[in-house]
Amino acid sequence: MALYKEEARQEIKEEVVVVLNILPKEDHEKPHIRGSLNVPLGNDHQAFVREVEDRFGRDKFFISYYADRRSKMASESAGILRVNGFESEEAAVLD
């Protein structure tokens, strides 16, 4: 289930949420969601999981975001995190 703008904003305000911008680093430097933190998904999914855990721990709720709404990468990254024991959803629209 995707989170939408109003719901995501409330989650962010509660400060237990991390918005993960899963774009490649060079694309994250372009306009992006204010407050989102860049953790590129890449091809090595276990490296992605390790980086998320190392940087943020497991006690937060993660919202995965990808700039191209047609892409399934946000959904894929949220699923990867869930399979690995994290609470995570993809953001459908956060602008």
Side-chain angles (χ1 to χ4, degrees):
M1 179 182 90
L3 294 175
Y4 290 88
K5 180 171 45 178
E6 296 79 18
E7 194 176 358
R9 284 185 180 152
Q10 182 58 40
E11 296 284 339
I12 293 166
K13 286 180 186 176
E14 293 175 10
E15 296 183 5
V16 295
V17 169
V18 175
V19 177
L20 297 176
N21 185 322
I22 59 169
L23 292 165
K25 183 175 176 132
E26 59 276 4
D27 291 335
H28 179 72
E29 301 301 324
K30 298 174 186 173
H32 59 274
I33 296 172
R34 187 179 6 194
S36 67
L37 302 168
N38 187 230
V39 181
L41 178 58
N43 293 325
D44 185 346
H45 295 169
Q46 288 309 307
F48 170 74
V49 170
R50 281 190 305 275
E51 183 172 355
V52 170
E53 184 169 19
D54 289 349
R55 287 178 64 183
F56 310 109
R58 289 183 169 265
D59 62 338
K60 302 208 181 299
F61 184 85
F62 296 91
I63 299 173
S64 293
Y65 166 75
Y66 194 80
D68 184 347
R69 294 181 187 160
R70 297 167 295 180
S71 173
K72 301 291 184 196
M73 288 186 70
S75 178
E76 180 182 356
S77 65
I80 290 165
L81 290 173
R82 283 192 302 273
V83 165
N84 284 277
F86 294 82
E87 289 186 69
S88 181
E89 290 292 340
E90 75 272 13
V93 180
L94 282 181
D95 51 12

